[in-house]
Amino acid sequence: NTGPPKAFYTRAEVLAMTGKSWPTLHRWQAQGIFPRSVRLGPNSVGFRCHEVDEFMRDPEGWRAENTSKQSPE
């Protein structure tokens, strides 16, 4: 089953990947040390896969200013 690459992780996927709570990730987003969520619809947000993958490779070194222009939620 080959389709286009996945563009966004869901909030649940990101919480499972990081093992962190939503309040922690929300705080980290505000501090610029975790990728910002992107509004996908009226009741859903997602996280750009490439940004989360970069964070997971180097959590200590990841900073928002090192990625493409960030969109507010």
Side-chain angles (χ1 to χ4, degrees):
N1 188 16
T2 61
K6 186 172 181 166
F8 295 96
Y9 290 122
T10 66
R11 181 169 126 169
E13 288 173 320
V14 170
L15 294 175
M17 290 170 71
T18 62
K20 302 297 181 187
S21 68
W22 179 242
T24 295
L25 294 185
H26 192 273
R27 184 175 61 250
W28 287 1
Q29 288 179 75
Q31 294 170 346
I33 59 174
F34 191 80
R36 291 193 54 89
S37 57
V38 177
R39 184 155 305 281
L40 300 176
N43 296 312
S44 65
V45 297
F47 294 82
R48 290 178 184 89
C49 290
H50 72 276
E51 291 181 357
V52 174
D53 293 343
E54 288 174 15
F55 172 86
M56 295 302 290
R57 280 191 292 276
D58 183 15
E60 295 296 320
W62 192 95
R63 295 293 177 266
E65 63 267 12
N66 296 339
T67 65
S68 58
K69 182 130 180 120
Q70 297 291 308
S71 303
E73 185 177 321

